[in-house]
Amino acid sequence: MEFTLTEEQKMVQRTIRNFVKNELMPYEQQVLRNEREGRPGMTREEIKDLQMKAKELGFWGINTPEEYGGADLGPVMTALIQMELGRTFVPFSFGGSADNILYYCNEEQKEKYLLPVINGDRRSCFALTEPTAGSDAANIRMPAVKDGNHWVLNGEKIFITNGNEADFAMVFAVTDKEKGARGGVTCFLVDRDMGWRSEYIQTMGEWGPASLVFENVRVPEENILGELGGGFNLGMKWIGQGRWMIPARGVGASERLLQMGIEQSKSRVTFGKPISERQAIQWMIADSAVEIEATKWLVLRAAWLAEKGKDNRHMASMAKLYGTNMANRVVDRVLQIHGGMGYTKELPIERWYREMRLWRIFEGTDEIQRYIIARNLLKGHVKVGELMD
Ligand SMILES: Cc1cc2nc3c(=O)[nH]c(=O)nc-3n(C[C@H](O)[C@H](O)[C@H](O)COP(=O)(O)OP(=O)(O)OC[C@H]3O[C@@H](n4cnc5c(N)ncnc54)[C@H](O)[C@@H]3O)c2cc1C
């Protein structure tokens, strides 16, 4: 067994760490100030400039196939990169990427949807959740009814990330009620100018998802993504990809937070001694360090399985369940170590605290991850103590 990174992986890790430190972290105060005053932390132009700087370093389309101009660095490298990006709350992601399911576009659709998203000219959103179906995504109801060579969509999607900014939505609708999720759900590429409306939903986080309203929105037949009836599988592919990226980010954020906690504990004196000398505080530091390390290896194993083309779904669920809960525990402890200051908006801890709470909900709640893990074990898909290959 080999636990060391390759020279290339180490180089990428160092480069991104420097990029985060030199290019992203300087924006942190601005982000906090803007958000306090009700504006987005960064403008689109600022993010684009940073994406161009990253491109000069070779970081453009980190998961995008080379034929589309991407670096296609693979799952392990992506996990390492996400861990580094997680060290700041500055809302940045590399340019040159598209949702994994947009690669199912046919040639004409690629020109209109995939390529403009990769180039940053158009924005997409993933619209599966409905007011009556979130975890139980197989139970979505939005009907798509055939009318000539169009499909007519009616209904509402809710909590859609980027739903208010997107130029088009990947919308999952029911094309065959009898079949439902087993061949009766189809994914449509629906341009905003086909007539859907969106509205922000205020959340405890710093950015809002949106609700999307469809009233007799007519979508041409040629805008079906993939196969008619193949939408549910596409939806699960999109969700599956994000599962281990979230705890990867959690590793970076938690490491940074823990470092803040360590520094604060050494400098804060109460009753004549730094609080770092109190066992109550030391245990918070020790437990956090252990849990971060455990998450790192769960994430890397999930990424490694994906890299080897193996089924990583069980491991990805374990990484998401453990890693997102870990991050919530670490931020809570670090907030506690900072006392009253931890609760203020002067420091980024409360911001992270609010952001991390979401991680236990979207892309599969804690309960759904537990359900998946337990079902795999109970049905024998995965065996306890199975020999590792
Ligand atoms: C900020 C934000 C961004 C989002 N972005 C998107 C997006 O871009 N696209 C999109 O389609 N969706 C998005 N979502 C929706 C998200 O995926 C759902 O909120 C999530 O899947 C949970 O669904 P729900 O809210 O309907 O809760 P429910 O499914 O109603 O669950 C309520 C509670 O019951 C629990 N529960 C449900 N079923 C079971 C069970 N069988 N056993 C035990 N407990 C159970 C859940 O874990 C949860 O605690 C986003 C949500 C948020 C908050």
Side-chain angles (χ1 to χ4, degrees), residues 126-136 158-162 203 207 209 238 358 361-368 371:
F126 172 85
L128 177 65
T129 305
E130 297 180 1
T132 53
S135 305
D136 189 7
I158 195 171
F159 298 132
I160 308 305
T161 301
N162 289 333
T203 68
W207 49 273
W238 188 96
L358 169 64
I361 297 171
F362 74 172
E363 302 195 18
T365 62
D366 285 358
E367 293 73 23
I368 294 303
Y371 163 71

Side-chain angles (χ1 to χ4, degrees), residues 179-233:
K179 292 186 184 160
R182 294 175 194 276
V185 171
T186 300
C187 180
F188 295 90
L189 298 165
V190 192
D191 295 81
R192 188 178 284 273
D193 62 16
M194 289 174 186
W196 51 270
R197 304 191 307 276
S198 63
E199 197 172 329
Y200 266 126
I201 300 169
Q202 298 295 332
T203 68
M204 67 190 272
E206 287 299 345
W207 49 273
S211 62
L212 315 186
V213 177
F214 296 77
E215 278 172 0
N216 293 321
V217 172
R218 296 178 66 81
V219 185
E221 173 92 47
E222 63 262 25
N223 276 33
I224 288 177
L225 179 65
E227 302 288 320
L228 177 69
F232 192 72
N233 289 342

Side-chain angles (χ1 to χ4, degrees), residues 77-359:
M77 205 77 106
T78 303
L80 294 170
I81 290 173
Q82 290 302 327
M83 287 180 194
E84 294 305 318
L85 284 185
R87 300 176 76 84
T88 181
F89 53 85
V90 168
F92 171 82
S93 56
F94 292 110
S97 295
D99 307 84
N100 59 345
I101 59 172
L102 282 180
Y103 292 95
Y104 288 86
C105 281
N106 61 33
E107 291 309 313
E108 278 170 31
Q109 292 170 342
K110 277 183 186 166
E111 294 295 323
K112 254 178 109 178
Y113 299 100
L114 174 68
L115 299 180
V117 170
I118 291 177
N119 294 331
D121 298 327
R122 297 193 84 190
R123 286 212 253 183
S124 58
C125 66
F126 172 85
L128 177 65
T129 305
E130 297 180 1
T132 53
S135 305
D136 189 7
N139 205 22
I140 57 164
R141 303 266 166 82
M142 177 186 268
V145 178
K146 189 92 192 276
D147 182 22
N149 56 0
H150 282 72
W151 289 86
V152 183
L153 270 54
N154 275 291
E156 188 183 353
K157 294 291 178 181
I158 195 171
F159 298 132
I160 308 305
T161 301
N162 289 333
N164 219 27
E165 295 83 11
D167 303 295
F168 71 92
M170 298 169 284
V171 182
F172 296 80
V174 180
T175 43
D176 185 333
K177 211 169 152 187
E178 294 301 309
K179 292 186 184 160
R182 294 175 194 276
V185 171
T186 300
C187 180
F188 295 90
L189 298 165
V190 192
D191 295 81
R192 188 178 284 273
D193 62 16
M194 289 174 186
W196 51 270
R197 304 191 307 276
S198 63
E199 197 172 329
Y200 266 126
I201 300 169
Q202 298 295 332
T203 68
M204 67 190 272
E206 287 299 345
W207 49 273
S211 62
L212 315 186
V213 177
F214 296 77
E215 278 172 0
N216 293 321
V217 172
R218 296 178 66 81
V219 185
E221 173 92 47
E222 63 262 25
N223 276 33
I224 288 177
L225 179 65
E227 302 288 320
L228 177 69
F232 192 72
N233 289 342
L234 284 183
M236 292 305 106
K237 280 201 171 94
W238 188 96
I239 290 172
Q241 174 170 274
R243 280 215 167 129
W244 48 276
M245 303 283 188
I246 300 169
R249 246 188 143 92
V251 167
S254 302
E255 282 181 346
R256 174 107 184 267
L257 282 159
L258 178 57
Q259 193 54 44
M260 286 174 69
I262 290 171
E263 282 159 22
Q264 172 69 8
S265 71
K266 289 203 288 194
S267 64
R268 183 67 174 176
V269 176
T270 66
F271 307 99
K273 272 189 190 173
I275 57 173
S276 59
E277 292 185 25
R278 312 287 178 185
Q279 191 181 49
I281 302 294
Q282 289 171 358
W283 282 28
M284 290 193 219
I285 292 170
D287 288 349
S288 298
V290 173
E291 293 169 23
I292 293 170
E293 194 66 14
T295 303
K296 199 179 278 180
W297 296 110
L298 282 173
V299 167
L300 286 173
R301 180 138 166 86
W304 179 85
L305 287 170
E307 187 119 348
K308 296 285 167 204
K310 295 175 190 244
D311 187 348
N312 80 342
R313 287 174 296 179
H314 188 72
M315 195 56 65
S317 282
M318 294 210 288
K320 180 168 191 285
L321 174 64
Y322 187 79
T324 57
N325 279 271
M326 172 285 290
N328 275 267
R329 286 193 295 272
V330 170
V331 74
D332 186 69
R333 291 177 190 133
V334 171
L335 195 152
Q336 193 71 13
I337 289 172
H338 281 76
M341 274 311 288
Y343 192 65
T344 68
K345 286 185 184 281
E346 295 296 308
L347 297 177
I349 303 171
E350 67 80 39
R351 186 198 184 283
W352 253 313
Y353 186 95
R354 287 180 289 117
E355 182 180 339
M356 286 173 172
R357 190 61 185 82
L358 169 64
W359 298 352

